[in-house]
Amino acid sequence: MARRIVAEGLGTLLLLVVVVGSGVMGARLAGGNDAIALLGNTLSTGAGLVVLIHVFGPISGAHFNPAVTLVAVLRRELGAADALGYGAAQVIGAVLGVWLAHAMFAEPVLQVSAHVRGGWGQGLAELVATFGLIGTILAVSKHRGEFTPVAVGLYITSAYWFTASTSFANPAVTLARGLTDTFAGIAPASIPLFIAGQLAGALIALAVFGWLLAEDPA
């Protein structure tokens, strides 16, 4: 269990290095063109996710996401005590990842985002983003488990562009991105709406895909 918790923390740390670092690099190179900055952020995040899930999946399952861990608990694939360890590691790893990205790019390490992402549409977008992420994980892992890392990376790459919120889909990532005033940041006041949408999306996906993927009785 110690190795699994460290894997969750380290994997989430590296995920946030990818998300925040590529956002900083994209914004610096884009010359004020947010579309180009988002494209760079998207490609790096999607590719990074595929690699990180392959690396840490055999150790911890590569959740990197409290919403994914919550679904695993409700599906009785993970005990509550273990899930608390996963969640703590994910949040701590995410925050450390933001700070590491800041240090690499010579940004102030301690920041608070001023990037407001408000309005019901943003919350709905996070519900849709997380619903799709959980559905992807549940369906693909059931029928083509070896393809799950690629499917998740491709889904997030797409969801960056088709959701109004750019698809955070992860409460730990959302909390940590409140601590960066760079391209990837989110103002703390916007965080509760995002997390509410994410948790709702995860629970709805669990119900819907649990029914869709249920085995017919013999």
Side-chain angles (χ1 to χ4, degrees):
M1 178 51 64
R3 284 195 289 265
R4 291 166 65 187
I5 289 175
V6 169
E8 281 297 301
L10 182 57
T12 312
L13 182 154
L14 293 172
L15 174 59
L16 267 295
V17 170
V18 170
V19 171
V20 175
S22 63
V24 174
M25 179 67 82
R28 290 184 180 181
L29 297 179
N33 188 324
D34 285 346
I36 294 177
L38 182 61
L39 180 61
N41 195 202
T42 301
L43 295 175
S44 180
T45 300
L49 262 175
V50 173
V51 174
L52 291 172
I53 295 171
H54 273 296
V55 170
F56 294 104
I59 304 171
S60 67
H63 294 187
F64 312 147
N65 185 336
V68 174
T69 300
L70 173 63
V71 168
V73 172
L74 294 176
R75 286 169 57 86
R76 299 180 182 176
E77 297 169 348
L78 189 69
D82 294 342
L84 289 175
Y86 269 45
Q90 290 157 2
V91 172
I92 292 169
V95 171
L96 293 177
V98 169
W99 290 347
L100 179 56
H102 288 166
M104 283 198 304
F105 285 93
E107 293 275 344
V109 172
L110 300 180
Q111 303 179 22
V112 176
S113 178
H115 189 177
V116 176
R117 301 173 185 260
W120 67 268
Q122 297 281 311
L124 178 60
E126 282 301 291
L127 185 154
V128 170
T130 311
F131 175 88
L133 173 62
I134 298 299
T136 298
I137 293 169
L138 294 178
V140 179
S141 64
K142 181 177 177 68
H143 298 295
R144 288 195 58 191
E146 76 287 350
F147 188 69
T148 303
V150 176
V152 170
L154 289 174
Y155 174 77
I156 292 297
T157 299
S158 176
Y160 257 64
W161 288 86
F162 76 72
T163 62
S165 60
T166 67
S167 184
F168 286 42
N170 184 327
V173 166
T174 304
L175 288 170
R177 286 171 69 167
L179 299 177
T180 181
D181 200 26
T182 63
F183 183 79
I186 176 173
S190 302
I191 289 175
L193 174 65
F194 270 53
I195 292 180
Q198 291 156 7
L199 295 178
L203 294 175
I204 295 170
L206 175 61
V208 171
F209 284 91
W211 176 72
L212 288 174
L213 299 171
E215 298 288 348
D216 289 332

